[in-house]
Amino acid sequence: MRIDDSSIRVDRDTCIACGICVERCIMDNLRLSVAPCRQACPINMNCQGYIRLIALGQEDMAIQQLLPFGPLLNFIAEKCTAPCEKVCVRKQKDGALHILELKRYLVKKYRDQLNTINVSEKKSNKTIGIIGTGISGLACGFKAIQSGHSVFFFTRSFDAGKKDNILDMIRKVLENFKAVFLNDKDLVDSSGQVRKFDALVLSSLEDQQLLGSEFKPVPENTHVDKISHQLHENIFCSDTGASKNNPVFEIARAFETIESVNRFLNNEPLDWGRGFYTQEGAVKAYKTDFRVGNDEPRIPMENVLGKMDADTAKKQASRCFSCGRAFEKNQTCWYCLPCELECPQKALYVDIPYLVK
Amino acid sequence: MNIRRMQTDILIIGGGSAGCMAAIRAKEIAPEINICIWEKADFKYSGSIARGMDALNIVCIPNLSDPDLYLEAIQSGCKGVVDSDPSYVMAQRSYDLLKKLEKWGVRFIVDKKGNYRTLQYHVKGRFQTAMDEPDLKLILAQKVLEKNVTILNRIMGISLLKDGDQISGAVGMNTRTGELIVSQAKTVILCAGGQARFNLPNSGYLYGTFDYPGNSGDGFIMGLDAGAKLTGMEYCSSVNLIKDASMPLLAITVTRGGRVMDCFENVIMEGAVNRIDEMNKAVDEGRGPLRISLKHLPEETISEIEHILFTCERPVQERFFRNRHIDFRTHDIELWPTEVQLCGGHGMSGIRVDENAWTGIYGLYAAGDVACVPKQHLTGAFVFGEIAAENAVKVTKNINDVCVDEKKILSILNKKESRENNLDKNIDIKEFEYKVRRIIGDYIPSPKNEYKLHRWLEWSKVFKNDLEMKVKIEDGHDLARLYEIEHIIRCADCSAVAAITRKESRWGDAHFRSDYPETDNQNWQKHVLVLQGDKYENLDTTTAPVSGLNQKEIFHEN
Ligand SMILES: Cc1cc2nc3c(=O)[nH]c(=O)nc-3n(C[C@H](O)[C@H](O)[C@H](O)COP(=O)(O)OP(=O)(O)OC[C@H]3O[C@@H](n4cnc5c(N)ncnc54)[C@H](O)[C@@H]3O)c2cc1C
Ligand code: SF4
């Protein structure tokens, strides 16, 4: 006898695997099966989401999916090595979906919308110092501002002369959101006092040298905890020494670091309940590089708009198999319908289990 | 040892109707106090109301009804076993509550003259006040969010902690990862609902219950372990509702003119839900199945009924009836007894509380379905949520610091780890739940007798052993479910010992002992209380007199 049948139907064409239904379910019935592309993405970006929305002709909604990454997208779209494409299921049939190209298309076309940061409504009165203004420092700053903190950057002397258009662009946006940029010498302020922060984030282990002896952990730390990124009390370091073959990993580590900082500031444990969305899954998927199908070069950022328009983008996006979606994992449905009500795409239909029907 | 630690002033366990109201009220009177809600599911829609509601079952509207009349109605409805103070206080505060909800934008139905639409749901008096609010839970949740309350979703309370005789916090578990969390708290308000998953519903589908199946008696057992007393556990409440679906419709249809009929077309009720006992009797005498007929009503009324049934409480009813090709204009609705629930909101089982929502343990309050204020429904959940908050705030201000019991935490952790360990375990958790609930259905509900009830107690030992030694766990969800099933088994134990103690029959089907078929007002018009003995296995029972009973006002049927 089947004692637990029931039936949630999800429309593959419209489901964007956002996971809202999973969060809202009041019986813990649903789970999200995460598409390979998203599993492979170091920062867990919902590729399937924006691609499905392009395919449905809803580009304005598609860009919404990307907004949580704000100006960082300029960097991501330019520099990412697209691990997502390497695991795309379509690859075995007729070549991976051009996920990176579609991202470049969106980022280029809607770049004005990306010059902003959705700051959390809950204002914090905490100040965070960040040493280093490479991509990992800027990403930390971005996430910290998003979490409502005030941010001070300290450019390291060996970074100072470097010029990078994309990083400068990100920096400008952060400045608009009141980030202060200083030099590493300014770690001591004009009156000779060491500046005090609620938390300090280093871009690399070597940055310990810049700290005054009041803060420097003795003996110096030689490795960083992979999950918590904590170095010493309120000092964190985003670099865990893990591989750097995809620059986007640096952003991922920055996000993890700020998550820890937030927990630290809220007096929450740094490791509890993590691991659900950590990089482990991502790294594993990244290594499954089955190298089937085409590896043709992608259209570079500069001329993506010349080569792609709404129609070609839509055609490309329509090739997506829609691998990820919500599914009924636990068979505990009470057919109460919040999941259906909250689905932004109206892709979910709750049927009454056969035993009851 | 991966345990999350936190600290708060007031900890509310369960973010349903009562929990939300308690949080709002506490912040209203003391915004500086820290409040945290642990919610087993996701707070936005969780709980019995899930989305909306069609009526506030008890409101004493001035000039129409008063608390004294309500007391008469409820005393007669409970056959005299109800303390008067809590019910009286609830009725007194009910109209202010209605006004407050209205201010928040909850829509009550008002006629052209500005009078509330009231319906008769009790033996006397029109206390039920119609509402048309599909978004009730959303409104509540919004209010809580505005008040800066910490809300932790997917945290299921499993045990309370004490510092001497006083409450000092609780241990919870993440229902997705199985990780433990410990909160130190000066006071705790239990709002974790009743026991919806008792025996199996008639459909055989584990979660096809009337009440929200996330409520699995956790609150009862947490209270019991902490030393609170459970009352009325022998009251196995079951109503006649939509066959197979167990969804509510009685009040909505009957109070608007629907007829409840037996299979010989005798009309049992029409226009008022005042003869529930008669319905059960008809079924017992073989005059079932009962049905509700709406055919005779004007189109206008039928569409109003449809509108309410299909939007407020269980909107899924529309699909249910469509699937079965049932149109109220041409077809009757078949009814069937639901599964049994133990519930302090619809029934009369739960943690014993006084009119201050106090459980008798310093710092521990209980409100809503988890506490027994007989048939308090939503009104009770809201009013006692507020009362619990008011008293908890007072007590919290007098407490400086509390310690949590580290030894107990360690033993909970060890137990959890042994349950997580799958070595040599092979019983599927779903089958386990199915069997537990099937056996409960065999031995606990009426007709009861000493032999049957003892049979359950024997099975219970087997199940408790299987639970520790044989049931296989795959993830955090399964682990949380294992704890829920443990609570189901222990609630059944409580129900069995209470039923063994009450050597009489009372409340019709809710407690019928074939070995003591008569009602014995002389000896048994009192409460049967269950309390934890010195060991985990031991349960003690005692009795307590009913307080504030006015004998003259009770009329016993028959
Ligand atoms: C279908 C239906 C229709 C109803 N219609 C009416 C009506 O028309 N009029 C009326 O007056 N009353 C009605 N009621 C009754 C009323 O809804 C309930 O009495 C009231 O909502 C109970 O509130 P509560 O807060 O005690 O429980 P709930 O609102 O059920 O909340 C309990 C909460 O606790 C959580 N929880 C459970 N266990 C734990 C745990 N271990 N740890 C943490 N959290 C936990 C649950 O997830 C849930 O959110 C109805 C009930 C149902 C089920
Ligand atoms: S209907 Fe309710 S229980 Fe079922 S999946 Fe949706 S939210 Fe979960």
Side-chain angles (χ1 to χ4, degrees):
Chain A
M1 181 185 196
R2 278 179 77 191
I3 52 175
D4 48 46
D5 81 305
S6 89
S7 19
I8 304 282
R9 277 189 254 141
V10 177
D11 180 0
R12 277 184 164 234
D13 284 341
T14 46
C15 175
I16 55 171
C18 59
I20 291 178
C21 53
V22 181
E23 280 320 305
R24 287 291 99 79
C25 174
I26 66 171
M27 285 301 299
D28 201 21
N29 181 27
L30 304 174
R31 285 289 184 277
L32 192 65
S33 116
V34 181
C37 48
R38 185 170 186 178
Q39 287 186 32
C41 180
I43 47 174
N44 194 23
M45 194 185 273
N46 186 4
C47 319
Q48 176 188 348
Y50 66 81
I51 288 172
R52 280 287 10 131
L53 287 163
I54 298 178
L56 293 167
Q58 302 171 325
E59 283 183 10
D60 48 336
M61 290 276 291
I63 192 72
Q64 296 292 328
Q65 298 283 318
L66 296 180
L67 286 187
F69 300 98
L72 299 181
L73 274 165
N74 292 304
F75 180 89
I76 297 166
E78 178 85 37
K79 298 273 169 66
C80 186
T81 57
C84 47
E85 296 190 7
K86 300 208 171 77
V87 295
C88 176
V89 172
R90 185 102 208 186
K91 190 166 182 175
Q92 285 148 309
K93 193 165 159 33
D94 52 3
L97 214 85
H98 299 185
I99 304 174
L100 183 62
E101 230 158 65
L102 288 167
K103 185 176 348 236
R104 285 182 178 164
Y105 165 75
L106 277 183
V107 169
K108 201 83 187 169
K109 188 160 170 188
Y110 297 93
R111 61 182 169 279
D112 298 342
Q113 293 189 32
L114 300 176
N115 289 336
T116 183
I117 305 175
N118 302 337
V119 181
S120 145
E121 278 168 25
K122 260 197 188 158
K123 270 257 159 279
S124 90
N125 47 6
K126 305 280 197 268
T127 313
I128 300 198
I130 295 171
I131 299 186
T133 47
I135 184 60
S136 108
L138 292 177
C140 285
F142 168 77
K143 204 66 186 170
I145 290 174
Q146 221 176 33
S147 319
H149 309 303
S150 323
V151 174
F152 282 78
F153 283 100
F154 298 94
T155 313
R156 294 172 293 198
S157 31
F158 68 88
D159 280 342
K162 289 184 197 159
K163 192 101 186 78
D164 183 318
N165 284 341
I166 304 178
L167 295 187
D168 287 347
M169 191 151 69
I170 299 174
R171 185 176 162 151
K172 270 213 195 78
V173 177
L174 296 184
E175 269 167 348
N176 289 343
F177 281 81
K178 304 208 180 87
V180 181
F181 283 82
L182 301 168
N183 270 320
D184 53 11
K185 309 236 163 31
D186 300 324
L187 276 164
V188 178
D189 72 12
S190 47
S191 60
Q193 293 282 314
V194 180
R195 287 178 191 268
K196 289 227 160 53
F197 296 103
D198 295 298
L200 194 61
V201 180
L202 315 181
S203 295
S204 83
L205 274 171
E206 283 86 73
D207 295 343
Q208 286 179 90
Q209 256 116 60
L210 300 173
L211 300 179
S213 53
E214 303 90 314
F215 297 114
K216 213 188 288 186
V218 188
E220 252 175 53
N221 272 311
T222 49
H223 79 279
V224 185
D225 185 83
K226 282 206 169 57
I227 291 177
S228 71
H229 291 254
Q230 192 179 29
L231 209 57
H232 178 70
E233 284 174 12
N234 64 346
I235 304 179
F236 295 80
C237 175
S238 58
D239 183 8
T240 56
S243 101
K244 292 192 167 109
N245 53 6
N246 182 350
V248 177
F249 272 125
E250 299 208 29
I251 298 182
R253 288 181 201 118
F255 285 6
E256 282 170 12
T257 311
I258 299 301
E259 165 71 26
S260 290
V261 169
N262 286 340
R263 284 170 177 237
F264 177 83
L265 296 176
N266 283 333
N267 267 330
E268 289 171 19
L270 299 182
D271 52 355
W272 196 85
R274 278 173 109 160
F276 194 49
Y277 274 141
T278 52
Q279 274 190 39
E280 269 169 53
V283 173
K284 224 178 351 190
Y286 182 53
K287 285 185 187 139
T288 12
D289 179 354
F290 18 88
R291 292 190 191 288
V292 196
N294 63 347
D295 264 334
E296 64 190 68
R298 297 280 166 259
I299 309 172
M301 194 76 171
E302 310 82 83
N303 43 15
V304 68
L305 284 185
K307 294 254 165 85
M308 235 183 190
D309 60 13
D311 278 342
T312 43
K314 191 168 167 181
K315 209 159 142 215
Q316 177 62 243
S318 307
R319 295 174 60 230
C320 170
F321 280 148
S322 231
C323 301
R325 68 186 169 285
F327 69 104
E328 186 170 20
K329 157 93 189 338
N330 293 321
Q331 270 103 17
T332 52
C333 186
W334 192 46
Y335 24 96
C336 46
L337 310 184
C339 52
E340 202 178 299
L341 194 75
E342 292 259 315
C343 176
Q345 289 293 97
K346 299 283 159 263
L348 195 96
Y349 181 84
V350 178
D351 209 350
I352 302 175
Y354 181 68
L355 282 175
V356 174
K357 199 145 80 174
Chain B
M1 189 161 71
N2 198 5
I3 295 184
R4 173 170 175 186
R5 304 274 178 163
M6 55 172 286
Q7 234 177 3
T8 179
D9 294 326
I10 302 182
L11 177 67
I12 299 176
I13 302 184
S17 331
C20 287
M21 212 54 169
I24 298 169
R25 185 69 188 145
K27 278 285 181 189
E28 268 172 12
I29 47 183
E32 74 286 358
I33 275 186
N34 290 324
I35 295 180
C36 178
I37 299 182
W38 282 0
E39 168 54 53
K40 187 197 247 178
D42 182 80
F43 158 79
K44 197 165 172 188
Y45 294 97
S46 66
S48 303
I49 21 180
R51 290 191 50 197
M53 205 81 334
D54 59 69
L56 203 51
N57 282 1
I58 303 137
V59 186
C60 291
I61 299 178
N63 299 329
L64 185 75
S65 50
D66 60 53
D68 289 306
L69 185 68
Y70 173 69
L71 209 54
E72 279 178 44
I74 191 70
Q75 284 179 339
S76 132
C78 299
K79 303 289 180 286
V81 186
V82 48
D83 292 336
S84 54
D85 286 352
S87 295
Y88 193 84
V89 168
M90 174 181 76
Q92 261 181 335
R93 290 180 62 147
S94 59
Y95 188 65
D96 291 342
L97 170 77
L98 178 145
K99 284 290 172 200
K100 184 172 188 178
L101 292 174
E102 212 168 35
K103 217 162 70 213
W104 290 351
V106 175
R107 204 171 88 80
F108 287 88
I109 304 176
V110 196
D111 68 11
K112 288 194 195 81
K113 290 190 211 126
N115 294 325
Y116 291 104
R117 170 133 190 210
T118 55
L119 311 154
Q120 187 177 350
Y121 187 67
H122 295 80
V123 275
K124 42 174 127 169
R126 294 170 74 85
F127 302 104
Q128 193 180 47
T129 308
M131 197 193 297
D132 178 10
E133 187 50 76
D135 291 327
L136 183 58
K137 183 71 206 270
L138 274 181
I139 295 176
L140 278 178
Q142 193 54 44
K143 283 281 160 204
V144 177
L145 288 177
E146 282 167 15
K147 299 270 187 223
N148 192 16
V149 174
T150 313
I151 297 155
L152 298 183
N153 285 320
R154 313 279 169 204
I155 303 286
M156 164 189 178
I158 55 175
S159 184
L160 296 173
L161 296 171
K162 279 171 90 176
D163 181 356
D165 288 336
Q166 152 185 5
I167 279 296
S168 63
V171 182
M173 174 191 279
N174 185 319
T175 57
R176 285 190 166 157
T177 62
E179 286 162 297
L180 292 184
I181 175 166
V182 172
S183 174
Q184 199 187 72
K186 293 177 183 164
T187 47
V188 174
I189 307 179
L190 274 177
C191 302
Q195 171 58 283
R197 268 150 65 194
F198 202 47
N199 62 346
L200 286 176
N202 161 45
S203 64
Y205 173 62
L206 285 173
Y207 300 89
T209 54
F210 160 73
D211 201 352
Y212 165 54
N215 295 343
S216 50
D218 311 344
F220 294 166
I221 301 302
M222 275 189 273
L224 186 73
D225 282 345
K229 300 182 182 74
L230 300 183
T231 177
M233 294 302 277
E234 69 279 21
Y235 186 96
C236 294
S237 92
S238 158
V239 209
N240 280 276
L241 296 182
I242 304 177
K243 180 169 187 307
D244 299 342
S246 291
M247 293 188 229
L249 84 172
L250 272 184
I252 304 159
T253 51
V254 177
T255 54
R256 288 180 174 78
R259 284 184 193 133
V260 178
M261 298 188 297
D262 65 14
C263 68
F264 304 116
E265 316 252 325
N266 299 317
V267 176
I268 298 177
M269 300 195 291
E270 182 171 352
V273 187
N274 49 1
R275 298 177 72 202
I276 299 268
D277 293 348
E278 202 54 39
M279 286 172 72
N280 294 335
K281 207 165 132 213
V283 176
D284 288 345
E285 288 171 3
R287 288 187 274 129
L290 307 179
R291 61 211 145 92
I292 293 184
S293 177
L294 303 176
K295 282 184 266 195
H296 59 286
L297 296 175
E299 172 58 34
E300 199 189 327
T301 314
I302 296 191
S303 7
E304 184 193 321
I305 290 177
E306 279 182 338
H307 166 73
I308 293 185
L309 278 184
F310 299 164
T311 57
C312 287
E313 286 179 351
R314 303 299 312 273
V316 78
Q317 283 193 26
E318 180 174 17
R319 286 169 209 184
F320 178 78
F321 287 119
R322 187 162 16 91
N323 275 329
R324 295 199 168 184
H325 308 290
I326 291 173
D327 182 344
F328 302 154
R329 291 158 193 82
T330 48
H331 290 70
D332 292 345
I333 307 163
E334 205 169 281
L335 306 182
W336 207 266
T338 61
E339 71 288 344
V340 165
Q341 312 134 33
L342 303 178
C343 173
H346 294 92
M348 19 195 319
S349 353
I351 297 177
R352 187 162 205 231
V353 289
D354 63 6
E355 67 279 12
N356 296 319
W358 187 46
T359 60
I361 295 167
Y362 193 66
L364 182 63
Y365 296 84
D369 288 357
V370 71
C372 176
V373 177
K375 320 213 175 180
Q376 53 180 330
H377 293 270
L378 193 58
T379 313
F382 285 160
V383 169
F384 286 104
E386 291 200 328
I387 292 179
E390 287 158 12
N391 292 304
V393 166
K394 253 187 254 157
V395 170
T396 303
K397 287 185 174 162
N398 290 333
I399 300 177
N400 288 330
D401 216 2
V402 284
C403 296
V404 292
D405 178 352
E406 293 296 337
K407 246 167 95 194
K408 181 154 183 197
I409 297 172
L410 196 66
S411 81
I412 293 173
L413 181 75
N414 291 340
K415 193 162 184 178
K416 181 196 91 135
E417 284 176 349
S418 103
R419 286 178 179 183
E420 270 175 327
N421 177 5
N422 262 339
L423 207 68
D424 295 330
K425 295 187 179 174
N426 55 9
I427 298 177
D428 180 77
I429 182 129
K430 288 177 195 151
E431 281 186 25
F432 184 59
E433 178 170 354
Y434 184 86
K435 184 162 172 185
V436 166
R437 290 172 60 189
R438 180 170 62 77
I439 303 269
I440 289 179
D442 291 343
Y443 293 125
I444 304 274
S446 305
K448 310 177 182 182
N449 58 49
E450 192 117 7
Y451 179 81
K452 275 171 93 181
L453 295 166
H454 278 293
R455 283 292 294 142
W456 162 259
L457 292 175
E458 285 162 31
W459 265 107
S460 155
K461 286 194 197 110
V462 176
F463 284 140
K464 281 183 195 143
N465 183 51
D466 288 352
L467 185 131
E468 305 293 354
M469 314 302 294
K470 297 190 184 158
V471 179
K472 199 170 65 208
I473 295 302
E474 256 152 32
D475 53 16
H477 174 90
D478 284 356
L479 187 65
R481 205 192 278 193
L482 192 73
Y483 277 85
E484 290 178 344
I485 302 173
E486 181 191 8
H487 298 153
I488 297 173
I489 297 172
R490 293 185 62 197
C491 281
D493 289 353
C494 296
S495 186
V497 296
I500 292 172
T501 307
R502 184 178 283 283
K503 294 193 173 22
E504 63 145 0
S505 293
R506 194 175 281 269
W507 310 301
D509 250 8
H511 178 74
F512 173 73
R513 291 265 317 240
S514 57
D515 41 0
Y516 298 95
E518 301 300 325
T519 303
D520 177 359
N521 282 325
Q522 200 80 48
N523 295 313
W524 287 106
Q525 194 165 330
K526 53 187 175 188
H527 304 285
V528 172
L529 307 180
V530 180
L531 40 146
Q532 184 65 46
D534 40 9
K535 278 203 308 236
Y536 169 74
E537 299 281 331
N538 283 5
L539 290 173
D540 287 340
T541 57
T542 61
T543 58
V546 176
S547 73
L549 194 63
N550 186 345
Q551 284 292 351
K552 258 189 300 174
E553 284 170 1
I554 302 163
F555 54 94
H556 296 288
E557 277 161 43
N558 309 332

